[in-house]
Amino acid sequence: HKGEIVGISGLAGSGQTELLNILFEAGRYTGIEKKGVLLNSSVSYVSGDRAREGIFHLWDIFDNIIIGNLDQVKKGWFLNKKKSEELAQSWYDKMKFRAEGLNSPIMSLSGGNQQKAIIARELDRDPEIGIAVQPVRGLDVGAIEYIHKQLVEQRNEGKAVLLVSLELDEVMDISDRIIVMYEGEIVADVNPKEITVEELGLYMAGAK
């Protein structure tokens, strides 16, 4: 719902990937797909497979950040150089990239820094629905805290956020509600304040 973070938990292979494929087959008709990266006007998507679905391999950090936000930085048919550079630089500073500047090729970065570019692009698009799959994988502690704070702020602004993670602590800490999947089915819909990590693990293993 609006103003809610729903965490989807489950062992790897429990149906999370299929669920996201269903969601984005529907989203494909209202967005654009370019080189495997889906950009949708109303849905932001931080993919769990950054190499195949998250980054534009031949571009630099600058291009990977602004590609999802062209409406903000266009001047007629052309790119407003000043606005686009300010936008990209602001995210570069906030995300604390370990790189040699905005023009660093995305493929020269570590996986964690590539993830920062994806998250910067998606957070800036201000969608109605945000879907994040393993959003903090490979990030340092400071970046993890920042991303979690941003997801919570999205929720507080009335956005709907779907968080898919294999990390139980992450799901428990920031979700308002947790859906557990097991062998392709939803087996639980619980309040994280009313369940323990152990109980959640039992649902995930199909024992409860």
Side-chain angles (χ1 to χ4, degrees):
H1 303 289
K2 290 183 177 181
E4 180 182 46
I5 297 176
V6 173
I8 294 187
S9 187
L11 301 177
S14 294
Q16 302 96 314
T17 300
E18 289 77 8
L19 175 62
L20 293 176
N21 286 342
I22 291 169
L23 291 174
F24 278 91
E25 280 299 320
R28 202 183 299 272
Y29 297 105
T30 57
I32 61 169
E33 185 177 16
K34 186 172 183 180
K35 294 184 180 176
V37 180
L38 180 67
L39 302 176
N40 186 297
S41 58
S42 61
V43 180
S44 71
Y45 180 43
V46 177
S47 170
D49 188 346
R50 58 177 164 250
R52 291 178 54 195
E53 300 175 343
I55 59 173
F56 294 89
H57 296 76
L58 300 180
W59 295 356
D60 55 22
I61 297 174
F62 172 83
D63 291 326
N64 269 275
I65 291 176
I66 68 163
I67 184 62
N69 310 286
L70 293 179
D71 288 341
Q72 296 184 47
V73 295
K74 282 194 302 186
K75 187 176 182 180
W77 291 99
F78 302 97
L79 196 65
N80 185 314
K81 185 177 180 182
K82 182 180 179 181
K83 286 183 69 175
S84 61
E85 288 178 349
E86 288 175 350
L87 171 69
Q89 189 64 52
S90 69
W91 280 107
Y92 185 89
D93 296 338
K94 282 187 282 191
M95 299 300 289
K96 295 181 171 58
F97 280 88
R98 293 180 180 176
E100 296 181 1
L102 283 169
N103 297 124
S104 299
I106 196 75
M107 292 302 291
S108 70
L109 307 181
S110 66
N113 280 281
Q114 291 176 358
Q115 188 78 350
K116 289 179 181 180
I118 297 166
I119 291 170
R121 179 185 72 217
E122 297 302 318
L123 285 178
D124 196 68
R125 293 174 51 236
D126 195 30
E128 291 302 310
I129 300 170
I131 297 179
V133 184
Q134 299 284 90
V136 298
R137 185 182 58 179
L139 300 186
D140 55 66
V141 173
I144 289 173
E145 291 180 357
Y146 180 79
I147 298 308
H148 285 171
K149 181 181 177 182
Q150 293 300 312
L151 293 176
V152 170
E153 286 186 5
Q154 295 256 314
R155 182 216 39 209
N156 293 343
E157 292 172 2
K159 312 297 184 183
V161 180
L162 185 64
L163 170 67
V164 182
S165 177
L166 298 177
E167 301 293 332
L168 291 187
D169 288 342
E170 181 178 27
V171 174
M172 293 284 281
D173 287 346
I174 66 172
S175 298
D176 300 297
R177 187 158 56 96
I178 299 174
I179 288 172
V180 184
M181 297 190 72
Y182 176 72
E183 293 189 347
E185 296 184 358
I186 292 173
V187 295
D189 186 340
V190 298
N191 183 335
K193 296 182 177 63
E194 299 173 353
I195 192 172
T196 65
V197 172
E198 290 75 17
E199 287 178 294
L200 194 62
L202 290 173
Y203 279 118
M204 292 169 59
K208 186 176 175 66

